[in-house]
Amino acid sequence: SLSYVQGLLKTAATRGDGEFGEDILDNVKTIKGIPERIDKESTISYNLENIEVRGEIYISLNDFEILNKDQELKGNIPFANPRNLAAGFIKMKDVNEVAKKPLSYFAYSLVSLDEKFYSQVANLNILKKLGFKVNEFSRKCFDIEGVIKACEELEGLRKTLPYQIDGAVIKVNYIKHQEILGIRSKSPKWACAFKFAPEQAETILNKITWQVGRTGTITPVAELNPVFLAGSTIRRATLHNYDEIIRKEIKIGDTVVIEKGGDVIPKVVSVVLNKRPIDAELITPPKECPICKSPVMKQDDEVAYYCENP
């Protein structure tokens, strides 16, 4: 959320919990595409002395790939995904370091206490004239069939875009209608998200490792042949619990389908049974804690295995 007072950028805040966010003004000033001063064109009839511009900071897939190559050259673990990385970069304490990061910005909302704007489409055009980058795939639809078609087209473009998306946002165009519809406690009634099906990829499950959580829960993790999926290379995926392995009939050596839950956390969706090798190994539950070698227990009414060592 960018606040401009008399044309100058005065505050910048993260969304936070929707009411309170973090002050990131100094870091935001390093991002190209976010003007520190806005000069109103004569073609804009509104008073724009005091406005708020809302949008999204992101990292392009190309920049993300370059960052990860640099990580690997330095012997560091590659970053997991562009979204979390952008969120981390923008909250760094050292402004000089933030200035070196490849952060980009899309503006998608214009708000003012002084003016009554006409429509979402008109607002996006105003933002363009003020020097903000607006997503080129925004479009106006005239009926629900047009909305569905637009969402399907965007999903088809998904793999060709230079940045990650996990859906589209559908908004009521006219501002007066938005005001009539109002908002819920945490979201507007005049906008909703259309989430795309998660991207999937096939890879081979090489082995299972068991991890111990803070409460002693022992969780299976699939060790995979590296595969590129939704902007990052996946080497491991959660299997949640042993019952999940049984339910999905997973064996070591299987070709498995993986996806990112919420486009972030990799998980094993299913097994490609017709690609199962003859020597695929059955996976057995852990007999001892992988860390301290203590006995493992399982309650009859629970799916989790636990280390007995407190």
Side-chain angles (χ1 to χ4, degrees):
S1 168
L2 310 171
S3 176
Y4 289 83
V5 179
Q6 295 182 330
L8 293 174
L9 179 59
K10 288 293 184 183
T11 63
T14 62
R15 180 172 57 185
D17 63 4
E19 188 173 1
F20 296 99
E22 290 184 52
D23 177 4
I24 53 168
L25 177 62
D26 291 339
N27 288 350
V28 157
K29 285 181 176 179
T30 69
I31 300 175
K32 292 175 183 176
I34 296 182
E36 290 189 40
R37 173 193 292 275
I38 54 172
D39 297 311
K40 194 182 84 166
E41 282 190 19
S42 58
T43 54
I44 302 172
S45 58
Y46 295 105
N47 171 18
L48 301 179
E49 286 288 292
N50 302 300
I51 61 170
E52 182 187 347
V53 178
R54 296 173 187 168
E56 187 157 2
I57 293 164
Y58 69 97
I59 294 174
S60 74
L61 291 175
N62 184 56
D63 286 330
F64 182 71
E65 190 177 338
I66 291 169
L67 287 167
N68 264 346
K69 282 180 181 174
D70 185 55
Q71 281 288 100
E72 289 172 356
L73 285 172
K74 292 176 180 176
N76 297 328
I77 297 170
F79 298 116
N81 61 78
R83 182 162 61 179
N84 288 3
L85 189 58
F89 281 166
I90 202 60
K91 293 178 184 178
M92 292 172 74
K93 301 298 182 187
D94 188 341
V95 176
N96 293 322
E97 281 301 308
V98 179
K100 298 174 187 175
K101 308 304 182 186
L103 296 170
S104 302
Y105 180 82
F106 276 128
Y108 56 66
S109 179
L110 175 61
V111 184
S112 172
L113 295 177
D114 304 326
E115 283 287 0
K116 291 282 186 183
F117 294 114
Y118 178 65
S119 72
Q120 173 72 10
V121 169
N123 282 3
L124 292 177
N125 288 329
I126 291 170
L127 288 169
K128 283 184 200 173
K129 289 179 180 178
L130 294 176
F132 291 93
K133 186 179 178 183
V134 171
N135 193 286
E136 63 186 295
F137 294 103
S138 299
R139 64 188 74 180
K140 183 179 178 180
C141 301
F142 296 91
D143 50 37
I144 194 62
E145 288 78 16
V147 169
I148 292 167
K149 184 181 178 184
C151 288
E152 288 172 347
E153 288 174 0
L154 284 169
E155 188 164 15
L157 288 169
R158 188 178 182 185
K159 290 185 178 179
T160 68
L161 296 175
Y163 44 81
Q164 276 189 312
I165 59 170
D166 64 355
V169 179
I170 304 159
K171 296 183 179 180
V172 171
N173 187 37
Y174 295 112
I175 306 300
K176 65 180 180 181
H177 292 164
Q178 293 182 7
E179 290 170 352
I180 292 167
L181 289 164
I183 59 170
R184 303 179 190 87
S185 59
K186 289 191 175 180
S187 62
K189 293 181 181 177
W190 45 265
C192 69
F194 181 97
K195 294 292 186 180
F196 301 149
E199 288 186 54
Q200 296 184 333
E202 287 187 10
T203 186
I204 293 172
L205 192 154
N206 294 316
K207 66 175 182 176
I208 297 291
T209 55
W210 299 90
Q211 289 186 340
V212 188
R214 180 179 54 82
T215 61
T217 310
I218 298 177
T219 305
V221 177
E223 304 290 345
L224 309 165
N225 272 2
V227 61
F228 192 78
L229 173 66
S232 62
T233 301
I234 307 301
R235 294 174 173 83
R236 312 179 86 208
T238 180
L239 284 166
H240 303 294
N241 52 62
Y242 185 69
D243 280 19
E244 181 94 340
I245 293 172
I246 299 299
R247 186 174 64 82
K248 292 179 177 174
E249 300 180 43
I250 299 169
K251 292 185 178 182
I252 294 169
D254 272 340
T255 296
V256 293
V257 176
I258 62 166
E259 68 180 37
K260 287 185 180 180
D263 265 11
V264 176
I265 308 298
K267 62 180 180 180
V268 174
V269 179
S270 61
V271 174
V272 185
L273 290 172
N274 61 3
K275 293 185 179 180
R276 172 168 284 169
I278 298 170
D279 58 350
E281 290 180 46
L282 199 66
I283 300 166
T284 56
K287 291 184 172 60
E288 61 180 27
C289 171
I291 302 301
C292 70
K293 309 305 177 187
S294 296
V296 167
M297 60 168 281
K298 180 182 180 296
Q299 302 281 6
D300 290 338
D301 59 344
E302 293 188 33
V303 296
Y305 285 81
Y306 293 94
C307 170
E308 290 186 355
N309 181 353

